[in-house]
Amino acid sequence: MGIENQQKNKDHYEGLYKEEQVKNILHWIHNLDAFLNSATTTETSWFAIYKNNFRDRLAGKKVLEMGCGDCTNAAVMAALGADVYANDIADSSGRIIQVLNEQYKFQHPIKFIPGDFIENNLEGNKFDYVIGKAFLHHLEIPLEEKFLAETARLLKADGEARFFEPAVNFKLLDEVRWYIPVGNRPSKFQRKKFRKWKKYDPHPDRSFSSKHFETVGRKFFEEVKIYPVGTLERFSRMYKWGKKQNRFKRWALKTEQKIPSGLNRILSRSQLIVCRQPLTKSVYQEENGNK
Ligand SMILES: C[S@@+](CC[C@H](N)C(=O)[O-])C[C@H]1O[C@@H](n2cnc3c(N)ncnc32)[C@H](O)[C@@H]1O
């Protein structure tokens, strides 16, 4: 079952990342401040991953990005002076990194780790940050645990993991969502079409609740903190793409942080999960029943 989901992800994403995308990425890293000022105030994943001044904490740090996708974030972190290692199940991500390294003088060229990351040979206790942007929710739960165990092994004792993921804390609200068609996803009312779409969808059926991420995170880390994102921002879909929509997103991402935390968590669309103080293997094996 796990392999089938991984193969689905590889098939889905392999063809999506193209070397032509390098031109855009180069433009963004040549205009880094303008890019980050815009992305971190209007795009939920960038807003979350760069929360709490992450941008200013990267220079000289050793960072691993899991599920690096089209490599925009890996390139941005490297352009900010980080020593970036990146992995994705899609080999096309590696080809993008190769071209980026040829065309931009990073202080530390980006290192791509191809294939099954769980089999990596990286030395433990060496990374300042491990990042996953819209990544963990693509894994079935047993594989997610393996990635989190690797995260804990690779991080320094004072290191930090940051994951941006969808949040489903209000089942009814989520169920309604499936009946509204979005992009190429048909409504659940169109049963045949929906079943056909689901067959190729790279997201496994699993929990995306904050409680789940807290529970699994605490198996491998002393500290797990959840930041809800998107409670108001989700309404930006009512606007057409453009300046008005961006203005709304900026307002929403700022304003929703003032919503009482319990309510914000229930209504949020996404979440930033920050894990600190990794447990050593012997400690988490003892705490979680030797496995
Ligand atoms: C939604 S995309 C996010 C990409 C990128 N982080 C971003 O923010 O645009 C999820 C990524 O996870 C990768 N992925 C899925 N399963 C994986 C696995 N088992 N190992 C490594 N990468 C995986 C996919 O190939 C895809 O690039």
Side-chain angles (χ1 to χ4, degrees):
M1 192 177 177
I3 296 291
E4 194 198 310
N5 177 63
Q6 286 195 72
Q7 192 59 44
K8 242 202 233 187
N9 268 272
K10 189 167 167 61
D11 295 345
H12 181 89
Y13 286 104
E14 196 67 80
L16 226 65
Y17 307 135
K18 307 233 175 341
E19 285 166 39
E20 299 89 85
Q21 284 160 264
V22 170
K23 211 171 127 206
N24 281 338
I25 302 175
L26 286 173
H27 174 75
W28 294 325
I29 58 179
H30 280 297
N31 299 277
L32 206 48
D33 278 344
F35 173 74
L36 278 172
N37 289 346
S38 166
T40 61
T41 53
T42 58
E43 299 303 326
T44 45
S45 67
W46 290 87
F47 169 83
I49 287 288
Y50 283 79
K51 204 175 165 60
N52 299 342
N53 231 12
F54 183 56
R55 172 181 180 166
D56 299 332
R57 292 194 262 146
L58 278 165
K61 294 290 166 30
K62 191 160 164 161
V63 183
L64 166 71
E65 179 161 9
M66 297 169 160
C68 60
D70 70 1
C71 309
T72 304
N73 186 46
V76 165
M77 294 191 296
L80 286 167
D83 184 9
V84 178
Y85 290 65
N87 165 258
D88 200 285
I89 201 165
D91 295 328
S92 47
S93 300
R95 287 195 289 279
I96 291 191
I97 286 177
Q98 195 185 336
V99 182
L100 277 169
N101 283 335
E102 283 162 12
Q103 302 199 5
Y104 190 92
K105 241 196 142 20
F106 294 110
Q107 209 176 322
H108 308 277
I110 307 168
K111 273 71 75 185
F112 184 65
I113 303 153
D116 183 357
F117 183 71
I118 301 304
E119 302 296 321
N120 76 76
N121 294 316
L122 297 169
E123 203 182 331
N125 207 12
K126 287 278 181 260
F127 284 82
D128 297 287
Y129 294 107
V130 172
I131 304 299
K133 192 154 92 50
F135 168 63
L136 288 179
H137 73 285
H138 282 263
L139 310 176
E140 285 175 330
I141 283 172
L143 184 58
E144 178 182 66
E145 285 210 9
K146 288 187 182 166
F147 268 90
L148 288 173
E150 265 311 285
T151 303
R153 184 184 75 82
L154 290 168
L155 278 174
K156 293 177 180 171
D158 61 352
E160 184 175 296
R162 300 168 77 88
F163 298 105
F164 170 77
E165 302 298 333
V168 177
N169 293 320
F170 188 171
K171 273 269 161 60
L172 186 65
L173 189 68
D174 184 59
E175 201 43 47
V176 172
R177 187 176 70 88
W178 290 103
Y179 288 90
I180 303 166
V182 179
N184 65 351
R185 187 187 81 201
S187 157
K188 252 189 172 177
F189 286 125
Q190 300 167 285
R191 288 163 74 169
K192 254 192 177 167
K193 279 192 180 165
F194 185 84
R195 228 179 297 132
K196 192 172 166 204
W197 169 84
K198 185 77 191 131
K199 196 171 159 202
Y200 297 101
D201 179 49
H203 300 93
D205 286 324
R206 45 154 291 175
S207 174
F208 305 136
S209 75
S210 301
K211 185 89 214 125
H212 162 77
F213 285 112
E214 274 167 350
T215 308
V216 70
R218 289 209 178 109
K219 285 188 177 179
F220 304 100
F221 293 87
E222 193 69 43
E223 189 190 314
V224 180
K225 214 167 166 202
I226 305 280
Y227 297 86
V229 180
T231 296
L232 296 177
E233 187 278 344
R234 64 163 82 222
F235 296 105
S236 67
R237 276 144 209 85
M238 295 191 314
Y239 292 86
K240 271 204 227 129
W241 186 87
K243 273 190 184 161
K244 266 196 182 164
Q245 190 190 50
N246 274 349
R247 205 177 311 135
F248 176 82
K249 285 180 173 185
R250 264 195 296 276
W251 171 83
L253 288 170
K254 229 192 269 170
T255 310
E256 66 188 30
Q257 295 177 77
K258 296 179 195 149
I259 298 172
S261 59
L263 188 64
N264 200 11
R265 173 167 163 143
I266 293 173
L267 299 177
S268 63
R269 184 166 176 262
S270 314
Q271 55 193 322
L272 170 70
I273 304 138
V274 178
C275 306
R276 292 199 197 92
Q277 300 179 50
L279 301 174
T280 59
K281 192 170 180 182
S282 56
V283 171
Y284 71 65
Q285 279 189 333
E286 199 178 313
E287 287 189 1
N288 302 325
N290 234 6
K291 51 173 195 148

